[in-house]
Amino acid sequence: MAELATIARPYAEALYQVAKKHDVKAWGQALDALALVAQDADLRSFADNPKVSAEQVFSVMTAAAKLTLAPELQNFLRAVIDNGRLAALPAVVDQFHVLANAAAGVADAQIFSAYPIEPAQLADVVATLEKRFGRKLEAHVQLEPALIGGIRVVVGDEVLDTSVKARLDRMKVALTA
């Protein structure tokens, strides 16, 4: 998906430059909601319909996201819709977060766990992971029962897999080699 990333980069950079003048965190939350709506296949089909106007798509998206957008975000969303880049919106939001996190000295950590993690446990895990990866982390937990137990952590292009499933896979390879 290098092409999608290439399309998303200028949007994300421009959006971040404007967001720096406002509340970057609030903008990030609004963009997350818009990206979630933009991922819906039915909405994309609706937006691709030639009988549907850009203003109708804008209205449906803001209603579905249940947001009141700042004027700058409204302009951004309209530009994305007018230019037929709705499919790229999730990639734009991802790159926006990368820029915001880099400026704040933070990296996103996607933590996959077989079971829910209590807030106190999560704080301990994040503290340990911050030492391991050598940077401040913003943790996002996602349940993945197929791991059986343990966690798998993805920070950028680095992966730390301490799950039971990974250990079983390594044992299988060792025993069949």
Side-chain angles (χ1 to χ4, degrees), residues 1-174:
M1 282 282 185
E3 183 180 314
L4 201 54
T6 303
I7 291 169
R9 188 174 302 108
Y11 285 99
E13 289 172 353
L15 189 60
Y16 180 69
Q17 292 302 320
V18 175
K20 284 194 310 188
K21 299 173 186 168
H22 302 281
D23 183 2
V24 174
K25 189 169 185 169
W27 278 44
Q29 292 170 347
L31 288 168
D32 286 340
L34 290 174
L36 189 63
V37 172
Q39 290 174 343
D40 185 62
D42 291 335
L43 176 82
R44 286 228 213 73
S45 295
F46 176 74
D48 291 340
N49 186 336
K51 293 182 181 179
V52 175
S53 71
E55 192 56 39
Q56 289 172 314
V57 175
F58 176 83
S59 297
V60 168
M61 283 198 66
T62 54
K66 298 177 183 169
L67 293 172
T68 303
L69 298 174
E72 296 89 348
L73 277 173
Q74 289 180 16
N75 292 340
F76 164 73
L77 183 57
R78 283 191 170 96
V80 168
I81 293 168
D82 290 343
N83 293 323
R85 302 294 192 200
L86 200 55
L89 186 58
V92 171
V93 173
D94 288 343
Q95 289 190 22
F96 173 86
H97 286 300
V98 167
L99 291 169
N101 287 344
V106 177
D108 277 329
Q110 188 67 40
I111 300 173
F112 299 92
S113 173
Y115 300 100
I117 301 175
E118 298 296 322
Q121 290 175 319
L122 182 60
D124 291 341
V125 168
V126 170
T128 303
L129 291 172
E130 285 176 346
K131 289 177 188 171
R132 165 72 170 77
F133 287 101
R135 59 194 136 179
K136 186 92 172 119
L137 298 176
E138 178 74 32
H140 306 282
V141 179
Q142 184 175 339
L143 290 181
E144 192 173 307
L147 295 178
I148 304 170
I151 60 172
R152 185 178 52 157
V153 182
V154 179
V155 178
D157 60 353
E158 297 177 76
V159 177
L160 174 64
D161 196 343
T162 63
S163 68
V164 173
K165 182 180 183 311
R167 291 179 189 165
L168 289 173
D169 289 343
R170 285 192 297 267
M171 285 174 46
K172 178 182 172 185
V173 169

